[in-house]
Amino acid sequence: MTQALRHDAMRARNLGVVLAEVRRSGPVSRAALAEITGLTKTTVSKMVGDLITAGMVAESGAVRDGERGRPGTAVTLSGGRVAALGLEINVDYLSACVVDLTLTVRTRYAQAVDNRMAPPVETLSHLRELAQKAVDEARAQGLFIAGTTVAVPGPVDGGLVHAAPNLGWHDVRVPDLLDLPVEVDNEANLAALGELWFGSAPEDFLHVSGEIGIGAGLVVGGALFRGAHGLAGELGHVVVAPDGPACRCGGRGCLEQYAGQDALLRAAGLGGATGGVPELLERLRAGERRPLEACDRAGRALGIALTSAVHLMDPGTIVLGGVFAPLFEWIREPAHRTMTARLSAMRHTVPELTVSHLGGDAATLGAAGRIIHRVIADPMALC
């Protein structure tokens, strides 16, 4: 019994080592894999065969091992079989995407819906329908869904969402109500991982998700920093004006009340409009005074909050995503100006502010990507 367990553990380890190296170095030959991993050629050949059977790698053409080596059959990751489902619940939309093992997006769905104060069971019922559409499309493409992650705008412990004030949720156990085997994580954390895996961010950066609420995810050395209780990154509730307006969190003057999507639209005179951010963009491009002033005010508030984040975490790069991506042209300058004024006395350089090219897709992509990275690290369950 013990010997069998050891054999299984060794096989699991070897599969993970080989698959990770194919992902990192592919296309690569079996001989090169043996040399890089330190495994025997026989072991590598067996592992590659198992991974081919599982649809996780494929052979395609020839590749030369070094300048004098004989050409060998190239082994590459295959996107034809294994995939992951990413889901997101946000205040004014639901989204779903399927990503294959090569991190290629195979299908994506989004649905505009007002989830403010809707019963969690109702919101999750809509999400389940959207998820089923994505799964059906994936199956039609011959894909197997290896796992699902749900992104939510609030702190999470396991599948329990302790509080999502902008949704009106308290102590909601998502997997039970969704009636699906899912993992659950904070939207801002998953957006940061999405930026790391699908975007162009370096291995050390702070990602800021601007939605109706504002969250942040800190990536250090290519890994997400969660904090002692998994609550790191609640940038939206950093106080930027102690006597400012009341916030849903119970405090006053939080960043969310100045730079969150609803706050921006209200300040721009669009609080009751149906056009939302697209209409705000039109008015900004037309040079209307009130929308311009709203973005300047939001940018300055963001700069104050980011100054505190820089003092505490010293990120080299700050990536602005979510609604801040389309508004980057108008948000960046006041934010950078405020940071420069507050940081220049203690720092030679101010962190670079860059725009996310994933925008509102970052969290959904990060949710799916989390499953893919886990499969690559431990493919045993699928082989």
Side-chain angles (χ1 to χ4, degrees), residues 59-121:
E59 294 178 309
S60 58
V63 63
R64 184 174 294 279
D65 299 324
E67 294 183 2
R68 298 183 181 180
R70 294 180 179 179
T73 303
V75 180
T76 62
L77 278 185
S78 171
R81 174 60 177 156
V82 178
L85 175 63
L87 303 172
E88 182 181 2
I89 301 166
N90 219 301
V91 177
D92 55 358
Y93 67 87
L94 302 172
S95 62
C97 75
V98 173
V99 172
D100 70 26
L101 203 64
T102 67
L103 295 183
T104 299
V105 178
R106 302 297 290 270
T107 188
R108 179 189 286 119
Y109 292 100
Q111 177 180 331
V113 55
D114 188 354
N115 296 311
R116 295 173 180 85
M117 302 304 165
V121 67

Side-chain angles (χ1 to χ4, degrees), residues 142-234:
L143 297 172
F144 165 74
I145 302 297
T148 302
T149 303
V150 181
V152 297
V156 179
D157 181 8
L160 180 67
V161 180
H162 288 295
N166 290 313
L167 291 175
W169 286 16
H170 296 279
D171 295 329
V172 175
R173 193 166 293 280
V174 172
D176 293 350
L177 295 180
L178 195 56
D179 196 26
L180 291 173
V182 299
E183 301 175 17
V184 187
D185 204 348
N186 174 262
E187 170 270 334
N189 286 339
L190 291 172
L193 292 175
E195 197 65 41
L196 175 68
W197 295 329
F198 297 85
S200 55
E203 288 201 336
D204 299 274
F205 67 97
L206 179 70
H207 181 275
V208 181
S209 297
E211 304 289 351
I212 289 171
I214 300 173
L218 178 65
V219 174
V220 180
L224 184 70
F225 175 77
R226 293 181 177 275
H229 305 289
L231 301 178
E234 289 295 328

Side-chain angles (χ1 to χ4, degrees), residues 7-25 28 33 36-39 43-44 46-52 54 56-57 75 77 101 372-383:
H7 178 269
D8 287 347
M10 182 62 70
R11 179 171 179 266
R13 175 191 174 277
N14 289 342
L15 282 167
V17 167
V18 170
L19 186 59
E21 195 54 51
V22 171
R23 175 179 178 270
R24 184 162 39 246
S25 304
V28 60
L33 281 170
I36 294 168
T37 63
L39 300 173
T43 297
V44 166
K46 176 66 169 64
M47 296 299 103
V48 169
D50 290 344
L51 291 168
I52 290 174
M56 303 176 78
V57 303
V75 180
L77 278 185
L101 203 64
I372 295 298
H373 276 74
R374 183 171 301 161
V375 169
I376 288 175
D378 183 16
M380 179 75 168
L382 304 181
C383 292

Side-chain angles (χ1 to χ4, degrees), residues 295-321:
C295 283
D296 183 77
R297 174 176 176 261
R300 285 184 281 113
L302 181 61
I304 293 171
L306 290 177
T307 297
S308 297
V310 171
H311 281 312
L312 286 171
M313 298 177 284
D314 190 30
T317 300
I318 299 172
V319 181
L320 300 184

Side-chain angles (χ1 to χ4, degrees), residues 320-337:
L320 300 184
V323 72
F324 294 149
L327 297 176
F328 186 76
E329 178 182 343
W330 297 276
I331 293 287
R332 180 194 176 280
E333 197 280 329
H336 188 268
R337 184 177 67 242

